[in-house]
Amino acid sequence: MTAPRKLIRRTALAATAGVAALVLAACGGSDGGHDMGSMESDSSPSASASAKAGAHNDADVDFATEMIQHHRQAVDMAELAADRASSQEVKDLATKIKGAQDPEIKTMSGWLTSWGEEVPADMSGMEGHDMSSGMPGMMSSEDMDTLEKASGAEFDKMFLEMMVEHHEGAIEMAKSEKADGKYGPATKLADDVITAQTAEIEQMNKMLGKS
């Protein structure tokens, strides 16, 4: 009985080593971006590590999906300000906001694609702002129309007040992601949003004479 058991054990170990070698070869032969999902059920140590690194949950999906739409509206507002604001300080802030949030939209879209989730349609320039009105800080289509029709100092004041509210909503969403999210890069982005937009709120309140 002893010899057959030893043989079985050696065979099992050899098979395990073979699987591990195949997994390592697969990891080395790709960029690792698309294989994580298919490897999550594998029990080998390297596959488990990969699955952990790319693990995400529903909160991460919701955060990316909603923040993409939230950021797109902020970019729309920033583009208006770059064109219509009378204050150079407002124009500079608008350029900074667009410069920060455009790349974040691309990053979050990449996450959704890699997770097999749908990237929300870009409703910029369409009457689609109200479809996301359930998110904190989002402007209604009427708000956006009013901003678009404003000019001069009136525009500057309206833009700053609306963007403060918009940023406050983004911070609320980011705090929810930090509390409930699982995907490391998403919770890191949420941290970045809180830090950057809190500072911008302080800056905008000073520009409005509120602090």
Side-chain angles (χ1 to χ4, degrees):
M1 293 295 290
T2 304
R5 279 182 185 161
K6 286 183 178 178
L7 180 60
I8 289 168
R9 189 180 305 131
R10 279 199 297 269
T11 304
L13 287 171
T16 302
V19 170
L22 286 172
V23 169
L24 288 171
C27 290
S30 73
D31 60 9
H34 299 291
D35 292 333
M36 288 180 182
S38 62
M39 289 164 60
E40 284 182 8
S41 61
D42 197 307
S43 59
S44 70
S46 60
S48 297
S50 296
K52 184 177 180 182
H56 67 280
N57 60 16
D58 289 343
D60 298 315
V61 174
D62 289 344
F63 172 71
T65 301
E66 294 181 358
M67 193 62 86
I68 285 170
Q69 298 170 81
H70 207 271
H71 272 19
R72 280 175 179 160
Q73 189 178 69
V75 169
D76 287 346
M77 293 165 66
E79 288 175 345
L80 274 175
D83 182 52
R84 304 215 175 177
S86 61
S87 163
Q88 186 59 47
E89 191 177 8
V90 172
K91 287 179 180 286
D92 290 344
L93 175 64
T95 300
K96 179 183 176 185
I97 289 170
K98 177 177 166 60
Q101 297 198 20
D102 260 341
E104 290 175 352
I105 290 170
K106 292 181 176 66
T107 295
M108 291 184 287
S109 297
W111 295 342
L112 290 174
T113 300
S114 71
W115 297 336
E117 302 286 347
E118 186 175 350
V119 176
D122 188 352
M123 305 302 290
S124 298
M126 301 173 64
E127 293 186 7
H129 296 290
D130 284 338
M131 68 176 285
S132 303
S133 60
M135 286 182 281
M138 286 289 281
M139 299 297 113
S140 67
S141 56
E142 289 81 7
D143 292 331
M144 294 297 290
D145 288 343
T146 302
L147 181 66
E148 193 167 356
K149 291 172 184 174
S151 60
E154 179 192 10
F155 176 93
D156 293 357
K157 182 174 184 290
M158 190 179 299
F159 169 79
L160 291 171
E161 289 175 342
M162 289 170 64
M163 192 60 84
V164 165
E165 183 180 347
H166 205 271
H167 274 21
E168 287 171 346
I171 289 169
E172 183 180 334
M173 293 163 66
K175 286 180 177 177
S176 295
E177 166 60 18
K178 283 190 67 179
D180 303 325
K182 184 179 180 182
Y183 186 57
T187 56
K188 172 64 168 62
L189 178 60
D191 256 334
D192 293 343
V193 166
I194 292 169
T195 300
Q197 298 199 18
T198 297
E200 288 170 357
I201 287 171
E202 291 175 2
Q203 179 185 355
M204 289 187 285
N205 280 331
K206 285 180 183 177
M207 293 163 72
L208 285 164
K210 293 183 179 180
S211 61

